[in-house]
Amino acid sequence: MSLESLIPMSSYAPSEIEPKWQAAWADAGTFASERDESKPKYYVLEMFPYPSGRLHIGHVRNYTMGDVVARYKMSTGHNVLHPMGWDAFGMPAENAAMATGGHPSDYTYNNIAEMKTQMKPLGWSLDWNREFATCDPAYYGQQQALFLDFLEKGLVYRKNAVVNWDPVDMTVLANEQVEDGKGWRSGAEVERRELTQWFFKISDHSEELLEALDGLDNWPAKVKLMQANWIGKSRGLQFSFSLIDGPSGHDRVEVYTTRPDTLLGASFVGISPDHPLAKQLEADNPDVAAFCADVRKGGTTEEALEKAEKRGFDTGLRVRHPFDTAAELPVYIANFILMDYGTGAIFGCPAHDQRDFDFATKYDLPIIPTFLPSEDASTEFTAAYVPMKSEKVYYCKGFAGDDWQTGDAAVDAAIAFCEENGVGHGVTKFRLRDWGLSRQRYWGCPIPVVHCDACGVVPEKKENLPIELPYDVSFDVPGNPLDRHPTWRDCACPSCGAAARRETDTMDTFVDSSWYFARFTAPGATTPTSAEDAAYWMNVDQYIGGIEHAILHLLYSRFFARAMHMTGHLPETAKEPFDALFTQGMVTHAIYTTKNPQDGRPVYHYPEEVELRDGKAFLKEAGTEVTVIPSAKMSKSKNNVVDPTRIVAEFGADTARWFVLSDSPPERDVEWTAAGAEAAHKHLGRVWRIASDIAEDTSSASDADEALLKEMHRAIRDVTGGIDSFGFNAAIAKLYAFTNALSKSKAGSAAKRTAAMTLAQLMAPMTPHLAEEIWALLGGQGLVIDAPWPQVDEAMLVDATVTLPIQVNGKRKAEIVVGADASKDEIEALALSQDAVQRMLDGGVPKKIIVVPGRIVNIVI
RNA sequence: GCCCCCGUGGUGGAAUGGUAGACACCGGAGACUUAAAAUCUCCUGACCUUUUGGUCGUGCCGGUUCGAGUCCGGCCGGGGGCACCA
């Protein structure tokens, strides 16, 4: 035995390979992006992270998907922009400051440094030269400049809006800080309170934001549908009920309805507790005031309002029905009517609206049907009758149009009739509300305006930007530290120079994330964007992020792009900033739990404490059986968070990257399993071994060469198609199949080398380090990332014969192999001659034979 | 409550309306090894059947079609969003 054979054979060692190639890319400046008019540009962007300080496996999946696209586009000759930054303002930093006494700024920048350290080893093709955090004064100063331009253009205004008010902590709470209508710290019952706040006029753009959805061909249909429903365009009738003996200044109640065809079924009028009439009554009547105060308890979310028990207060006031003048309807203040939508007042038709039906039942109001499923009027109503508007129904109390007509037709007819008779007019309304951007918090972008006793609200001068957050603040008491800072609020009025006060509200963090994609095109510009860079790099060709952002972030960004165009910061072509959108699923992980024997409460165990035997899970130390909750969202408190840093240390970045892409379709959730990660690692080791063997192979050409090369071209076709269509899991399945074919092939060394180098190229977007290593091992020129993407030779995809399944009455009975150019008659004859078919026919004649060329034959008997 | 999505073997999943279960995990058998690990080969939806083969099968119920996991209607279950979490 020679000494050499005692030395263990070298093996796949990601800890050596990965830093080496990362250094090689850095040395070559591979990912630094600059304008280059000679190449087509490609801008790929993943939603930037909140710097929590810990990289999450979900981030790994998100950024690896973007990385696959970026690297693939680099290989197809594109000048790729793939930047990274930090969505760095927000509540967690303030909460941390309150909990630990630190400063939000220190907390945030430490987290950024920490997370960046964890991100680097993953080998993502990011251009770190363009990095910024939204809490950098250089960034938010430009955001303040945008705000001032929007203000000047009339895109921003002030009005009153309700917030969650914690009466004990004397502070405004976020929705997530309200639990069951109570403040999360104080436990006090939250009240809805009005404050004057800043708003973006997004509702002016409702129609356009809705219509432009049609042009977003590369957005998921579900996201467009959700946005369309959110914008909520509706056509209806707006008209007034005249008020009988109303308080002074109130002689009518203006209502909006999308179902004017049910007007003769009205049995009450409901107004929002925030309606001017309700406020007037509240001031005069202690009972009304008590009811309104009670209704204002609890949070402000639509969910809370909708789920709350439907309650009303009979004001004693009556209105006259516009058509049935004998009828008087009671006016209720009702807790389920929103002041923000329509006119803040409705009429209730209990027969055709379940909510109104419940309300009428509760307060003993009449239920008057206006249409029925048949002309038989004797049916008793136990629930509201709400057919599809496209369904024809019989109008027993119609006042316009035919007796039998669809709801849609009846609405149109009713609006026309009402307009002719001077009862209101048809109007189009949108559900979309203006975007309230004021936050009564420290850790956000200061709103650059000044309050002057003489001049009112005055915009800050641009040369004074950025209005920086003061560092010397404390978080020992609840509330906004800017409000109680001794000097920061004090300033001179930009208009008259008199002593004035700064606005202490900061901006919603959605503002920060509504234009960062534009800033990445010129992160150092002394204006929000640079015209040349924006023109070259915009739009984002591929945007990737979580489905949880389907509505708000994406809608706000679409609005911002329009507003930035109106103020000269983006070209017209960038009004829809994201050409293609992909929404990826979460990474989940099983939760392992046992019950505490004392109190029966769940105890959560780390995956490392658990071992699996016979399909069951047990605690390693105690041997106790553990309950497994599969596919749960990762949560620190449930001890089921997978730490990418540990995975990279154990298996390498390529394994982590390969696994998060391999098992599930990218738009769906993927469950992280230790077994899956190990399997991915084994496979990469196998690829490495196969390539190493091929590097030393010297066999001559064989008749297996062509089969291998045909397999290779099929792999090129399928992997390329998989990446193009975000079918990463399917692409990886093809790579497994191709690797199996390569491993079993008896082809000569030249063909195998070609196949293995192509395999390296096809794997490079997913496992770039291993791909570079194999490429170098097999004598590839330069870096694999610089090599042009392999091309399919169509001639290599053609097969001489094709296998067709034969069905009888839609069930597969046999299979035939025919020439690729076989005629229909030949195929029919061969299909009929099959034993199984003859048996089924039993001497009879088929009724019909369907031949789908290249696909299937179906014989109907 | 409202809007949107998803549901396929023991598991993750594949499948332009055209052979359901590709590819992988787990499990089983074998090869190699003194042994183990690693690696390699084969098997692996359920039920019936000696082989051959047959029947059932994509959450549930119904429909369209020569043909449905895929399209339509209704239900059940899970997830996302609901405007101050990011």
Side-chain angles (χ1 to χ4, degrees), chain A residues 630-710:
Chain A
S631 305
K633 194 171 182 168
M634 289 192 194
S635 159
K636 256 187 195 167
S637 62
K638 305 279 169 66
N639 287 348
N640 70 331
V641 174
V642 174
D643 180 355
T645 303
R646 285 178 50 184
I647 302 298
V648 171
E650 192 172 354
F651 299 115
D654 282 340
T655 291
R657 297 169 56 116
W658 184 260
F659 178 74
V660 292
L661 295 172
S662 65
D663 257 18
S664 274
E667 67 276 16
R668 253 201 266 176
D669 294 350
V670 63
E671 171 139 11
W672 180 275
T673 62
E678 275 165 35
H681 188 248
K682 271 188 199 172
H683 177 73
L684 298 187
R686 182 164 173 248
V687 171
W688 189 91
R689 269 196 313 281
I690 291 168
S692 305
D693 290 349
I694 290 173
E696 300 188 354
D697 192 350
T698 54
S699 61
S700 48
S702 89
D703 50 10
D705 288 5
E706 191 184 342
L708 179 62
L709 294 176
K710 277 191 151 184

Side-chain angles (χ1 to χ4, degrees), chain A residues 26 42 64 140 148 154 219 265 351 387 425 458 504 513 543 560 602 623 715 796:
Chain A
Y42 195 89
T64 300
Y140 70 71
L148 293 177
W219 278 43
H425 51 281
V458 184
T504 57
S513 55
Y543 196 33
F560 239 71
M796 295 292 276

Side-chain angles (χ1 to χ4, degrees), chain A residues 418-485:
Chain A
C418 289
E419 285 183 343
E420 275 166 37
N421 288 275
V423 177
H425 51 281
V427 288
T428 298
K429 285 211 188 280
F430 294 90
R431 202 185 76 101
L432 180 63
R433 310 199 295 254
D434 279 333
W435 170 12
L437 68 118
S438 299
R439 297 291 180 270
Q440 295 71 41
R441 270 183 269 283
Y442 167 80
W443 193 231
C445 170
I447 295 174
V449 297
V450 168
H451 298 271
C452 170
D453 288 338
C455 310
V457 177
V458 184
E460 185 54 88
K461 289 181 183 159
K462 272 201 186 164
E463 59 261 36
N464 292 339
L465 301 185
I467 303 302
E468 281 198 51
L469 290 167
Y471 186 85
D472 55 334
V473 287
S474 68
F475 295 87
D476 42 7
V477 283
N480 182 356
L482 296 178
D483 261 340
R484 53 175 189 265
H485 191 280

Side-chain angles (χ1 to χ4, degrees), chain A residues 639-804:
Chain A
N639 287 348
N640 70 331
V641 174
V642 174
D643 180 355
T645 303
R646 285 178 50 184
I647 302 298
V648 171
E650 192 172 354
F651 299 115
D654 282 340
T655 291
R657 297 169 56 116
W658 184 260
F659 178 74
V660 292
L661 295 172
S662 65
D663 257 18
S664 274
E667 67 276 16
R668 253 201 266 176
D669 294 350
V670 63
E671 171 139 11
W672 180 275
T673 62
E678 275 165 35
H681 188 248
K682 271 188 199 172
H683 177 73
L684 298 187
R686 182 164 173 248
V687 171
W688 189 91
R689 269 196 313 281
I690 291 168
S692 305
D693 290 349
I694 290 173
E696 300 188 354
D697 192 350
T698 54
S699 61
S700 48
S702 89
D703 50 10
D705 288 5
E706 191 184 342
L708 179 62
L709 294 176
K710 277 191 151 184
E711 205 57 52
M712 179 182 90
H713 281 281
R714 272 194 282 271
I716 297 172
R717 177 194 61 192
D718 294 340
V719 172
T720 306
I723 293 174
D724 273 331
S725 63
F726 268 79
F728 302 130
N729 58 326
I732 283 182
K734 298 296 177 189
L735 286 168
Y736 269 107
F738 180 41
T739 305
N740 290 342
L742 176 58
S743 142
K744 285 179 187 154
S745 173
K746 300 275 187 285
S749 62
K752 279 186 164 181
R753 189 173 286 257
T754 303
M757 288 179 75
T758 301
L759 176 64
Q761 283 191 277
L762 296 177
M763 288 177 73
M766 293 94 167
T767 57
H769 314 87
L770 176 60
E772 293 286 4
E773 186 71 15
I774 292 173
W775 183 257
L777 194 66
L778 296 174
Q781 291 289 306
L783 292 168
V784 74
I785 188 150
D786 294 326
W789 192 251
Q791 295 300 305
V792 177
D793 179 354
E794 296 290 335
M796 295 292 276
L797 300 176
V798 180
D799 281 319
T801 59
V802 56
T803 303
L804 292 182

Side-chain angles (χ1 to χ4, degrees), chain A residues 279-302:
Chain A
K279 289 198 166 165
Q280 171 85 55
L281 294 171
E282 190 181 0
D284 301 342
N285 180 336
D287 291 340
V288 176
F291 177 78
C292 288
D294 200 35
V295 159
R296 285 198 188 100
K297 281 182 186 155
T300 57
T301 67
E302 194 171 312

